[in-house]
Structure formats: C-alpha cells, structure tokens
Amino acid sequence: MADTLPDELKDRFDREVNSAPVFIYMKGTPDFPMCGYSQRVVGCFNAIGVPVGYVNVLMDPEAWDNIKLYSDWPTIPQVFIGGEFVGGSSIVMEMLESGELEEKVKSVTAPGD
C-alpha cells in the first residue's frame, strides 16, 4: 500500500499479534461477534477448541484504520497465528475444512518445539 505505518503502530501490532497463539482483529468480541465474517472466524477456532486473543476494531478506530496497512489486507476480520498473518474468514474456513488450521495452531502451541 502507498501509506506507511508509523513505528509506534507497527510496534503495537507486533505486540498484539504475538500476545496469543491465535489473534484476531474483528468486529465485536469472540463471545459476541458483530458481523457474520467475524462470527465465522471465531466459530472455526471454537470448532477446534482454541481460545483467541482479539481486538474489537469497532471500539478501536486506530486499529480499524491501521491494521489494514500492517497486514496489507483490506478487510476485517484479520487472523494471525503464531504472529503470522494468515488471512480473513474465507481463508480460515478453507484451512479448517482441509485440516490445515488445526495443524498450524498445533505447530505454534506444541510444547518443546
């Protein structure tokens, strides 16, 4: 993207996405998603029994405006696993169906790796 992200925001997002094995920028919360796409993403992680960290972008305009620059991805929700951006709801749903989602999560949560 043409815009650049200020260092303080890059540092913030780096901290957030690394604060939990699975981290989501979403509309609403895992207990009360505020859009169908966020609900689908949370449902994928619920299906494999994985808790998520999150930021509710509806309550955080700075995150809403800037996470798209950080990931270079235009839509919300945005999912990070092990600090790595993996995509939005469609990608996460495909990963769940193929078994790749559970394997990716296990690779960042397995003890001793």
Side-chain angles (χ1 to χ4, degrees), residues 57-104:
V57 299
L58 296 175
M59 301 302 290
D60 190 337
E62 182 178 68
W64 180 302
D65 293 338
N66 292 288
I67 192 60
K68 299 167 187 177
L69 294 173
Y70 179 79
S71 63
D72 198 21
W73 189 261
T75 59
I76 303 289
Q78 295 192 11
V79 177
F80 294 78
I81 299 175
E84 176 188 345
F85 177 66
V86 295
S89 63
S90 296
I91 291 170
V92 170
M93 290 175 64
E94 289 171 13
M95 289 174 72
L96 176 67
E97 291 170 8
S98 73
E100 183 183 356
L101 186 64
E102 192 166 11
E103 290 304 311
K104 181 129 181 103

Side-chain angles (χ1 to χ4, degrees), residues 12-13 16-17 22-46 50-68 71 73-80 85 87-89 92:
R12 172 199 167 172
F13 294 136
E16 288 174 349
V17 302
V22 176
F23 199 88
I24 306 171
Y25 291 88
M26 62 182 291
K27 295 177 183 173
T29 68
D31 291 333
F32 194 67
M34 298 294 290
C35 80
Y37 298 110
S38 292
Q39 183 176 16
R40 284 185 210 121
V41 163
V42 169
C44 289
F45 291 103
N46 287 344
V50 175
V52 300
Y54 72 95
V55 166
N56 176 357
V57 299
L58 296 175
M59 301 302 290
D60 190 337
E62 182 178 68
W64 180 302
D65 293 338
N66 292 288
I67 192 60
K68 299 167 187 177
S71 63
W73 189 261
T75 59
I76 303 289
Q78 295 192 11
V79 177
F80 294 78
F85 177 66
S89 63
V92 170

